[in-house]
Structure formats: structure tokens, C-alpha cells
Amino acid sequence: MQTLGWREWGALPDLGIPALKMKVDTGARTSCLHAFRLEAFDKDGEDWLRIWLHPEQDSDREQICEARIHDQRPVTDSGGHTELRYVIKSTLRLGSFSQPIELTLTNRDTMKFRMLLGRQAMRGYFLVDPDASYLIGKPGAR
């Protein structure tokens, strides 16, 4: 198994995001991506979402992407608040790892990281060193 630090660079190529910083969060079951606006729509008889996000920390640069809705489920955050969230699937690239993962969508404007990498995405592939950071390197920097 590969070792991750408590924060890493990853990519979500299905969403057109070539690089974003993520917090590795073993306390979170499902991974979570920042989205400040969501718009559901029908595409060829399937339920899809148009997703507005700020992919970079400390930036107001907007990116709009689209994904098929995989699910909607209640998620309880670390403060004990439960919110019904959309769930999408997207390929995560993290070093040599490239697999589809589930991502819940919520507004993380007040959070430092635009994405949390949860246990489900890491299980069986990664170990976490809480004293380390950016062990995998930035996508495309190799």
C-alpha cells in the first residue's frame, strides 16, 4: 500500500479538474467536493447536475462541470449537522491510483480544502502518515 500525508494533491479528470489540494480525512466515510451552486437537469432521460465550484484555495475562479447524479443521501458533518447531499461518481487520480470514487457535494467556501478524501476511497489502497504532507506530488509535475 502507498502512504499518503494528511494533505495531498489529486485530480478529478472526469470533472475537468487537473489538480486540487485535498485533506485526507480518515474520520469521513465518503469523500466530499466543494460546490457552491448546483443545478439538476435531465440529460437523455437521466438525472444530472451542473456543478459550480472554486477548485483552488483562496481563489474565486469559478469552474462549471457536469456529472450524472449517483444518489442523494443524508450526511452528518463533524459538527453533528445532517444535510441531504447529492452524490456523484468521478475518477480520482492520486499518483498511480486512478479509480472512480463517490463524492458528496456541499459548500466548503469556509473550509481550507476544496475536497476531503474519505475512508471509502482509501480503503485497501493507502495508509496515512499524519505527520507528512504531499507525499504523492502534484499531478503533472513528474
Side-chain angles (χ1 to χ4, degrees):
M1 278 197 250
Q2 193 165 13
T3 301
L4 301 176
W6 72 271
R7 57 188 172 174
E8 290 291 345
W9 282 98
L12 298 169
D14 298 345
L15 301 178
I17 303 171
L20 81 158
K21 289 181 186 177
M22 61 186 79
K23 180 180 178 185
V24 177
D25 188 351
T26 60
R29 181 177 175 269
T30 308
S31 299
C32 177
L33 180 65
H34 165 69
F36 67 87
R37 181 176 167 201
L38 299 170
E39 180 181 284
F41 67 97
D42 180 85
K43 182 175 180 179
D44 300 324
E46 294 184 319
D47 294 325
W48 280 65
L49 277 177
R50 192 162 289 116
I51 305 159
W52 282 259
L53 51 94
H54 301 123
E56 296 135 14
Q57 290 174 237
D58 304 319
S59 171
D60 287 334
R61 184 180 76 78
E62 292 183 10
Q63 182 168 335
I64 302 170
C65 49
E66 296 179 352
R68 190 178 66 75
I69 298 172
H70 175 67
D71 196 8
Q72 251 188 312
R73 64 179 75 127
V75 176
T76 303
D77 65 22
S78 59
H81 305 98
T82 301
E83 170 187 41
L84 185 63
R85 294 186 189 173
Y86 283 109
V87 181
I88 63 170
K89 281 189 174 182
S90 180
T91 299
L92 169 67
R93 271 200 213 130
L94 190 56
S96 60
F97 176 86
S98 183
Q99 296 281 336
I101 65 166
E102 288 186 352
L103 292 160
T104 66
L105 303 170
T106 193
N107 190 321
R108 295 184 52 80
D109 268 336
T110 61
M111 305 296 183
K112 187 169 181 175
F113 291 89
R114 298 304 188 201
M115 182 176 159
L116 293 180
L117 182 64
R119 291 188 311 271
Q120 279 185 327
M122 292 184 275
R123 185 172 286 130
Y125 298 102
F126 299 105
L127 298 173
V128 179
D129 179 348
D131 290 325
S133 293
Y134 307 120
L135 296 176
I136 303 298
K138 192 171 183 178
R142 296 170 189 235

